[in-house]
Amino acid sequence: MRTAYSVETVRAAERELMARLPEGALMARAAAGLAAVCAQLLARRRGRVYGARVVLLVGPGDNGGDALYAGARLARRGAGVTAVPMDPGRMHPGGLAALRAAGGRVAEAVPARADLVVDGLLGIGGRGGLRPAAAALVERIPAGAPVVAVDLPSGVDADTGEVAGPAVTAEVTVTFGAYKPGLLTDPGASRAGAVRLVDIGLEFPESAVAMEALQHADVARLLPVPNASSDKYRRGVVGVVAGSEQYPGAAVLAVAGALRGGAGAVRYVGPAAQAVLARFPEVLVGRGRVQAWVVGPGLGSGRAEEVGRALADLDVPVLVDADGLRGLDGAVVRGRRAATLLTPHAGEAAALLGVPREAVEAGRLAAVRELAERFGAAVLLKGATTLVASGGGGRAVRVNPTGTPWLATAGSGDVLSGLAGALLAGGLSGVDAGAVGAYLHGLAGRFAAGGAPVVAQQVAEALPEAWRSVRA
């Protein structure tokens, strides 16, 4: 599992380690890792480091020092390294001396040509986007030059991923000691490019984790896999309340996600029974005993009683999606004993919070945390980076690392709802069902798309391949 830590936690770990190390040792470790990644990128692009034109955008803090020391290492390998300071009077003195000793130079303007640009303008403490002096340097980055960000792209908030003004867009971000939440969640994640973690020896208490990203082994451990004594009821029966005369396909897709997501059986309740049975004759029609409910996909307006009826079953887990989220009663949700998982996209989250959609998109981490706290439920916020938060407080937010932009297609969310509902019925908590469901859904999207457009039905059909992949 990849874990991310807040700026405050990282700073505390750095102070503790620096107290035990010789002066400058921690920066030397960071610079060595940064230089190694830069050298690899140059070797891939042009075959060698020697003769490469490297530009360092240098801020006044430790990130600027990291860039200068890394630049000195590249200069010693034959690169032509030019440092362009944001504030010429406030460059890291040791880093500047090292760069000059290695043959690097300082310039007032960004050169017109570069094989690599290193963004060392702001560190993890930067807030509110780039100031004018820094933004002016970024605007002059030569077209087509790859950018390597030091610790995180300047202008991105390390704790939230928010971008409040001009910011750097990097091809690679070299981050030190630990991932930062802003590198894993949008809009910051889309600015970071490929993230490379350099181990500099920091240690963190397990309780300090701010964000988690599951990996194959974590998902395999959580999957509810049947054994020799399992029957359809022990595997979990999912009740799906979805679809309408206008949107019968939503019911079909939610059922498909549940069946291929591991449910022992699916009970369908709604007006699209004929369409569901035509595709899945194994589905049971009508109410009965279930281990989880999925309510909302394609439900249409005027069926709020269906949502209330599911939520009133206090001891059965419930997933609420799409139309089921309209006018959701927070008091009813908070009063439930069993798990509740809400799965809004940004527009639905905005409606629940009473804010513009743009506010949710700009502050996704804050939005998912507020929803989870307000409703006392697990919340899966869908989007370019899907986030899952617990309503219990104090737990790390999970970010989904799988997926493809091709998943932004009609009905994809209905498949995810059925899949996560099957995981709830299989005994997973709301947070685990949301995180594992998003992970498998993202993998299935990749397998189904193969770099080409995909439809939701194909995503559902690729779910078994996603299961096999994580268990291999």
Side-chain angles (χ1 to χ4, degrees):
M1 185 180 293
R2 288 193 299 170
T3 53
Y5 299 86
S6 70
V7 170
E8 182 181 359
T9 300
V10 171
R11 292 293 196 215
E14 288 175 340
R15 288 192 296 269
E16 183 178 334
L17 182 56
M18 284 190 290
R20 305 196 307 266
L21 293 175
E23 186 176 354
L26 199 61
M27 184 171 285
R29 292 179 182 179
L34 173 60
V37 173
C38 290
Q40 291 166 5
L41 186 57
L42 287 169
R44 269 202 317 271
R45 284 179 166 265
R46 60 187 308 277
R48 60 181 181 173
V49 175
Y50 187 86
R53 293 162 298 195
V54 177
V55 175
L56 313 176
L57 304 183
V58 181
D62 286 347
N63 266 40
D66 295 333
L68 289 166
Y69 278 115
R73 287 175 173 268
L74 295 172
R76 288 196 293 270
R77 294 183 60 176
V81 182
T82 302
V84 183
M86 182 172 71
D87 183 347
R90 298 175 59 202
M91 298 178 73
H92 189 280
L96 178 58
L99 178 69
R100 282 178 165 155
R105 69 186 189 95
V106 178
E108 293 182 1
V110 178
R113 299 174 65 190
D115 297 304
L116 183 72
V117 175
V118 178
D119 162 32
L121 291 169
L122 297 179
I124 59 176
R127 295 288 187 274
L130 295 175
R131 301 299 183 265
L137 295 182
V138 172
E139 288 174 0
R140 291 177 173 83
I141 291 175
V147 177
V148 175
V150 180
D151 222 4
L152 84 163
S154 295
V156 172
D157 189 300
D159 279 337
T160 67
E162 295 177 14
V163 178
V168 169
T169 298
E171 181 170 320
V172 178
T173 295
V174 181
T175 197
F176 307 126
Y179 294 101
K180 286 78 183 178
L183 295 174
L184 303 181
T185 183
D186 276 328
S190 63
R191 298 272 188 168
V195 180
R196 299 284 296 275
L197 175 65
V198 172
D199 183 3
I200 56 174
L202 301 184
E203 296 179 355
F204 304 95
E206 187 175 341
S207 60
V209 175
M211 183 172 281
E212 301 171 333
L214 299 182
Q215 296 178 297
H216 269 32
D218 306 303
V219 175
R221 175 177 51 82
L222 289 167
L223 283 176
V225 179
N227 56 40
S229 63
S230 297
D231 57 31
K232 62 186 177 185
Y233 298 107
R234 289 189 178 94
R235 287 182 60 189
V237 180
V238 182
V240 174
V241 182
S244 58
E245 291 184 4
Q246 187 177 6
Y247 303 114
V252 174
L253 292 168
V255 167
L259 287 171
R260 293 196 169 94
V266 173
R267 285 188 177 276
Y268 174 72
V269 179
Q274 186 174 351
V276 170
L277 288 174
R279 182 69 189 279
F280 302 110
E282 62 269 42
V283 169
L284 311 171
V285 174
R287 292 189 176 272
R289 182 166 162 246
V290 300
Q291 277 73 54
W293 286 105
V294 172
V295 187
L299 202 61
S301 59
R303 295 179 64 194
E305 73 282 357
E306 300 280 9
V307 182
R309 187 169 179 177
L311 292 171
D313 203 344
L314 301 181
D315 295 314
V316 175
V318 176
L319 181 151
V320 186
D321 184 34
D323 293 328
L325 296 166
R326 294 180 182 175
L328 194 62
D329 190 327
V332 171
V333 176
R334 288 192 298 274
R336 288 176 41 76
R337 292 185 288 267
T340 307
L341 173 60
L342 312 180
T343 60
H345 56 54
E348 292 158 347
L352 290 171
L353 292 172
V355 300
R357 180 184 182 124
E358 293 77 13
V360 173
E361 294 285 18
R364 294 178 58 78
L365 188 55
V368 75
R369 283 174 169 157
E370 185 176 348
L371 281 171
E373 180 66 25
R374 183 176 296 190
F375 285 91
V379 177
L380 183 157
L381 179 57
K382 293 178 281 194
T385 51
T386 292
L387 301 175
V388 185
S390 167
R395 290 191 58 175
V397 172
R398 287 187 177 165
V399 57
N400 184 50
T402 65
T404 167
W406 293 116
L407 276 172
T409 186
S412 175
D414 303 331
V415 175
L416 174 59
S417 294
L419 165 60
L423 296 168
L424 280 174
L428 270 61
S429 69
V431 168
D432 285 342
V436 171
Y439 194 99
L440 292 172
H441 185 256
L443 281 181
R446 287 182 189 172
F447 294 145
V454 67
V455 297
Q457 181 179 329
Q458 292 171 296
V459 177
E461 290 168 352
L463 285 174
E465 185 179 358
W467 273 72
R468 288 190 291 269
S469 174
V470 299
R471 298 191 66 218

